[in-house]
């Protein structure tokens, strides 16, 4: 299987699994001031994915089974999201499943190189700014603001 076909397969998988979340993500990005920076984080995630793909090679074998535990975690997160009706879990499970698929198809070295893209993708999701803000407040510290929190993590 060629490297280009593997990347295409991962992109199609991500697009199909994100279909249930597209309307929710688009509405939040367009109408929520706290989530307005989401498209920028998504663009950074795509840019990192492209950069990591250019800088690292892929494995020669058929697949790397060390990424399968990530796929199981993604599946459990997706099931929890469906059962509890938590859209953030569903969208995050799509990103994590695509990351696990990339790890399995492209190898562990590429998987590790794509970890920042996963983090940036998760930061692009709506509600992460609110959750980061709540995490700051729950520790007793004054929150520097949701966008600053996201930027520090990025």
């Amino acid at each position: 299987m060629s490297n280009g076909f593997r990347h295409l397969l991962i992109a199609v998988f991500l697009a199909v699994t994100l279909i249930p979340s597209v309307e929710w993500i688009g509405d939040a990005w367009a109408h929520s001031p706290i989530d307005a920076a989401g498209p920028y984080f998504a663009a950074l995630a795509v840019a990192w994915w492209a950069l990591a793909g250019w800088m690292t090679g892929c494995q020669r074998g058929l697949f790397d089974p060390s990424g399968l535990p990530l796929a199981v975690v993604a599946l459990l997160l997706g099931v929890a999201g469906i059962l509890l009706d938590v859209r953030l879990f569903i969208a995050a499970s799509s990103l994590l499943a695509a990351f696990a698929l990339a790890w399995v198809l492209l190898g562990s070295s590429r998987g590790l190189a794509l970890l920042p893209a996963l983090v940036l993708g998760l930061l692009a999701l709506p509600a992460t700014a609110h959750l980061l803000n709540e995490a700051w407040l729950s520790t007793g510290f004054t929150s520097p603001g949701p966008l600053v929190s996201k930027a520090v993590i990025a």
Side-chain angles (χ1 to χ4, degrees), residues 1-3 5-6 9 57-65 101-110:
M1 184 177 340
S2 73
N3 193 19
F5 181 73
R6 292 176 193 204
L9 184 64
C58 76
Q59 69 178 13
R60 299 291 176 231
L62 203 63
F63 71 97
D64 183 356
L101 183 62
W103 188 295
V104 168
L105 291 180
L106 302 173
S108 58
S109 63
R110 176 77 60 91

Side-chain angles (χ1 to χ4, degrees), residues 41-145:
F41 285 99
L44 285 172
V46 170
W48 187 274
W49 187 284
L51 181 65
W54 176 67
M55 292 180 66
T56 61
C58 76
Q59 69 178 13
R60 299 291 176 231
L62 203 63
F63 71 97
D64 183 356
S66 65
L68 293 177
L70 293 171
V72 171
V73 170
L75 177 66
L76 294 175
L77 184 64
V79 169
I82 291 169
L83 293 177
L84 300 173
D85 195 25
V86 178
R87 293 179 179 181
L88 179 62
F89 285 5
I90 296 169
S93 72
S94 297
L95 293 176
L96 186 59
F99 176 73
L101 183 62
W103 188 295
V104 168
L105 291 180
L106 302 173
S108 58
S109 63
R110 176 77 60 91
L112 288 174
L114 293 175
L115 187 59
L118 172 65
V119 171
L120 289 166
L122 291 172
L123 288 174
L125 294 177
T128 55
H130 174 72
L131 292 174
L132 287 171
N133 198 35
E134 290 297 317
W136 272 106
L137 294 175
S138 70
T139 60
F141 293 104
T142 303
S143 172

Side-chain angles (χ1 to χ4, degrees), residues 8-61:
L8 179 64
L9 184 64
I10 295 163
V12 168
F13 176 81
L14 180 60
V16 168
T17 58
L18 275 177
I19 286 174
S21 303
V22 167
E23 183 180 356
W24 168 67
I25 293 170
D27 285 346
W29 284 355
H31 302 359
S32 172
I34 199 168
D35 295 317
Y40 300 112
F41 285 99
L44 285 172
V46 170
W48 187 274
W49 187 284
L51 181 65
W54 176 67
M55 292 180 66
T56 61
C58 76
Q59 69 178 13
R60 299 291 176 231

